[in-house]
């Protein structure tokens, strides 16, 4: 094949790829509309200040550019509404020393057998049935409301457990379940995120592992603790964060709120992609 012939083949191939990508994007848009979502909810025309490392001063990026970071699996944080630099928030309280080994082995072992793989399966099947749980969509809000309702069902008649929405400037709220401490106002947190994202921006995003797995794990932990009269010394909170996939927005707002209130968070464990083998 001559060089001219090779160039012609490459050009034709490029056109086919471009048209195929355009058709795929159009197809995703049509499916989102069919699912009842407003495409303008994705805010692709709005710029956000994004950092990809501690050293990165931040870059203003459009939604589609942020989607490309997600597709490339590049870690980032949205600092658009954060006092800049982040150190302007002030110093976090110094937590008390932590024990060097688990202190409640007998209690944990007695409750382990009460966790239910059936509950995991039923809940993750429901959670992944939403077309997307993107933080600005109607379905994303419905998923948060379902988590809230499920927690209240598991809570039963207990009055020492609080369930609340944590609302932000975007549509999808975070959800917080709280076992009030009997001895201390210190706070221990189990976290996960309830939103999901399609790596090409707009599209189906069931989020089974990322992070439906963390959500249903924390739901079942809550179910077992609530139904077995668990009463912690320190306050235990289980957080279901909104808007994590677009730069840790939901967890950041809660952290800022807790810092402002002077809450003493002594420990936090984030459950993300807990279905992923190894």
């Amino acid at each position: 094949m001559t060089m001219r012939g090779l160039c012609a083949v490459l050009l034709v191939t490029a056109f086919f790829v471009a048209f195929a990508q355009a058709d795929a994007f159009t197809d995703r848009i049509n499916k989102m509309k069919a699912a009842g979502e407003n495409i303008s909810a994705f805010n692709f025309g709005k710029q956000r200040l994004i950092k990809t490392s501690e050293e990165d001063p931040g870059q203003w990026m459009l939604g589609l550019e942020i989607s490309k970071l997600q597709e490339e699996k590049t870690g980032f944080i949205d600092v658009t509404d954060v006092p800049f630099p982040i150190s302007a928030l002030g110093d976090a309280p110094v937590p008390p020393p932590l024990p060097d080994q688990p202190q409640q082995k007998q209690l944990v072992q007695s409750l382990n057998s009460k966790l239910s793989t059936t509950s995991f399966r039923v809940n993750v099947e429901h959670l992944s049935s939403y077309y997307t749980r993107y933080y600005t969509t109607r379905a994303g809000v419905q998923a948060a409301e379902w988590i809230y309702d499920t927690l209240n069902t598991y809570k039963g008649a207990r009055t020492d457990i609080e369930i609340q929405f944590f609302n932000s400037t975007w549509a999808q709220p975070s959800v917080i379940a709280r076992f009030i401490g009997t001895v201390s106002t210190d706070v221990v947190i189990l976290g996960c995120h309830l939103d999901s994202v399609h790596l090409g921006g707009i599209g189906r995003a069931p989020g089974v592992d990322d992070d439906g797995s963390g959500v249903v794990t924390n739901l079942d932990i809550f179910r077992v603790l609530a139904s077995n009269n668990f009463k912690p010394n320190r306050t235990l909170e289980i957080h279901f964060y909104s808007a994590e996939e677009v730069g840790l927005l939901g967890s950041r707002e809660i952290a800022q709120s807790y810092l402002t209130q002077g809450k003493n968070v002594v420990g936090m464990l984030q459950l993300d992609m807990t279905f992923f083998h190894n």
Side-chain angles (χ1 to χ4, degrees):
M1 181 181 293
T2 65
M3 182 59 70
R4 179 176 296 178
L6 178 61
C7 290
V9 170
L10 292 175
L11 184 61
V12 170
T13 302
F15 273 117
F16 273 120
V17 171
F19 281 123
Q21 289 175 336
D23 288 344
F25 188 71
T26 301
D27 182 57
R28 292 202 301 270
I29 288 178
N30 289 335
K31 286 180 178 177
M32 289 295 294
K33 289 179 178 178
E37 293 295 349
N38 184 351
I39 300 304
S40 64
F42 286 82
N43 292 327
F44 285 144
K46 186 176 181 180
Q47 286 192 320
R48 306 290 298 181
L49 185 58
I50 302 298
K51 284 168 61 75
T52 57
S53 69
E54 288 291 333
E55 297 75 26
D56 182 2
Q59 303 176 60
W60 289 98
M61 305 180 76
L62 292 169
L64 285 174
E65 295 174 299
I66 297 172
S67 294
K68 188 170 180 60
L69 292 179
Q70 295 164 337
E71 196 166 3
E72 295 171 346
K73 296 182 171 55
T74 299
F76 66 93
I77 184 171
D78 186 326
V79 296
T80 308
D81 304 310
V82 176
F84 200 73
I86 294 178
S87 58
L89 289 172
D91 295 327
V94 178
L98 296 177
D100 59 4
Q101 61 179 307
Q103 302 294 296
Q104 301 293 336
K105 293 180 182 179
Q106 185 174 350
L107 174 62
V108 171
Q109 289 169 356
S110 69
L111 296 177
N112 267 345
S113 61
K114 301 179 186 298
L115 293 169
S116 168
T117 56
T118 300
S119 293
F120 277 51
R121 182 177 295 108
V122 169
N123 284 339
V124 82
E125 285 177 353
H126 177 88
L127 197 62
S128 61
S129 69
Y130 296 101
Y131 193 82
T132 180
R133 300 193 302 277
Y134 195 71
Y135 77 118
T136 56
T137 62
R138 179 179 60 88
V141 174
Q142 291 172 339
E145 292 171 343
W146 174 78
I147 291 169
Y148 178 89
D149 291 342
T150 301
L151 289 167
N152 273 294
T153 298
Y154 289 162
K155 169 189 168 184
R158 289 188 59 169
T159 59
D160 58 332
I161 299 175
E162 299 174 349
I163 314 294
Q164 70 175 89
F165 287 120
F166 187 99
N167 294 302
S168 302
T169 56
W170 51 88
Q172 184 185 61
S174 297
V175 185
I176 298 174
R178 180 180 297 110
F179 292 86
I180 300 171
T182 57
V183 176
S184 170
T185 58
D186 290 347
V187 178
V188 176
I189 297 172
L190 282 178
C192 58
H193 69 90
L194 67 93
D195 64 317
S196 64
V197 66
H198 180 87
L199 292 182
I202 292 175
R204 173 91 168 100
V208 173
D209 194 29
D210 190 9
D211 184 29
S213 60
V215 170
V216 300
T217 299
N218 275 340
L219 281 176
D220 216 50
I221 289 171
F222 177 86
R223 178 187 65 80
V224 169
L225 295 179
S227 62
N228 285 274
N229 202 34
F230 173 71
K231 295 183 178 181
N233 292 334
R234 293 186 170 103
T235 292
L236 172 64
E237 295 187 354
I238 302 180
H239 291 189
F240 303 81
Y241 299 120
S242 70
E244 191 272 353
E245 294 284 12
V246 291
L248 313 182
L249 294 182
S251 57
R252 185 203 70 204
E253 287 219 343
I254 292 175
Q256 284 183 227
S257 173
Y258 281 20
L259 181 60
T260 301
Q261 296 176 58
K263 290 194 176 185
N264 193 29
V265 178
V266 298
M268 195 277 181
L269 176 65
Q270 176 76 0
L271 302 182
D272 202 330
M273 300 179 72
T274 56
F275 286 170
F276 188 77
H277 182 62
N278 289 333

